[in-house]
Structures are given as C-alpha cells and as structure tokens.
Amino acid sequence: ALRRCHLARGFASIGYHFYITRDGEVHICRPVHQIGAHATGWNDKSIGICYEGGLNEEGQPADTRTYAQKCSLLDLLRQLKTDYPKAKILGHYQLSKLVHKACPCFDAKKEYQEL
Ligand SMILES: [Zn+2]
C-alpha cells in the first residue's frame, strides 16, 4: 500500500530508506547510497526511516510505536550510527524550524542522543 501511495505521488519507489511495520520488521525500501524522497531539502544528506503508524484513533499525530518497532528502530539506528558515526539522529520536524510537520511524533533527538 505504501509503495502504491508513493508511486501515485510521483516517486520512483517508496521514498524512505527503511520502513518499520508494527510487527517490528524492518523493510529495506531503497539502498542507503540512493537518494531518498522523504524530507524536502534534506534528501541528499539523510537516510529516511519511517514507522507504520503515527496517528491515534482520532487521527491526531501520536507516538504509536509498538514495543517491537522501538526495538527494531533502536537496532537499526545503532547499526547506522556505526556506519555513519557523525550522523545526527533527528525527527522530521527537528530538521529545521521551517518544517511544519508532527512526524515522527516523538523527540528522536532526545531519545537517541546517547547513540
Ligand atoms: Zn515526515
């Protein structure tokens, strides 16, 4: 469904590099050396990770990560941090004050500052 949605939006494929479904499975959507389509202005210098969810029952932005998603995300970030030690881990809305988005609906900068 995600691939169909992104193709409809004109992307070559899923815009993120990684997509983590509720069951904690990490889906590799495009190789990290390939430019992403997930954060305007930052695509050429970032790796995009998305988790399935992000809205509560009322359709409001919310941190809906399952325990499995949190575990997989932490594993993935640790691995990427080994490959890219200087990389900053930021939520989409933390890239710039000009980004008016709620995603990923949690403070990624704070949560992963020790990595
Ligand atoms: Zn986003």
Side-chain angles (χ1 to χ4, degrees):
L2 180 66
R3 177 169 287 115
R4 242 181 289 126
C5 169
H6 279 197
L7 289 176
R9 287 169 66 185
F11 302 152
S13 180
I14 290 175
Y16 314 109
H17 293 93
F18 300 98
Y19 185 70
I20 305 175
T21 40
R22 285 180 205 279
D23 59 5
E25 197 182 325
V26 177
H27 301 261
I28 299 167
C29 304
R30 59 174 73 194
V32 287
H33 57 78
Q34 197 178 314
I35 192 165
H38 52 88
T40 305
W42 300 82
N43 286 321
D44 59 340
K45 42 189 165 291
S46 65
I47 294 170
I49 304 169
C50 182
Y51 70 93
E52 181 184 19
L55 295 178
N56 63 19
E57 289 87 38
E58 284 82 47
Q60 302 299 317
D63 182 1
T64 62
R65 287 174 297 165
T66 63
Y67 181 70
Q69 281 175 314
K70 286 185 183 178
C71 292
S72 299
L73 181 55
L74 187 59
D75 277 351
L76 177 58
L77 289 171
R78 281 201 179 117
Q79 180 58 54
L80 290 169
K81 198 66 183 175
T82 308
D83 298 341
Y84 305 93
K86 289 181 184 163
K88 291 186 189 131
I89 299 170
L90 298 171
H92 195 168
Y93 75 89
Q94 295 172 320
L95 289 172
S96 146
K97 287 188 169 58
L98 302 172
V99 176
H100 299 288
K101 289 184 176 282
C103 52
C105 311
F106 63 91
D107 189 345
K109 190 176 179 183
K110 191 172 171 207
E111 186 165 333
Y112 302 115
Q113 64 187 353
E114 307 294 335
L115 292 185

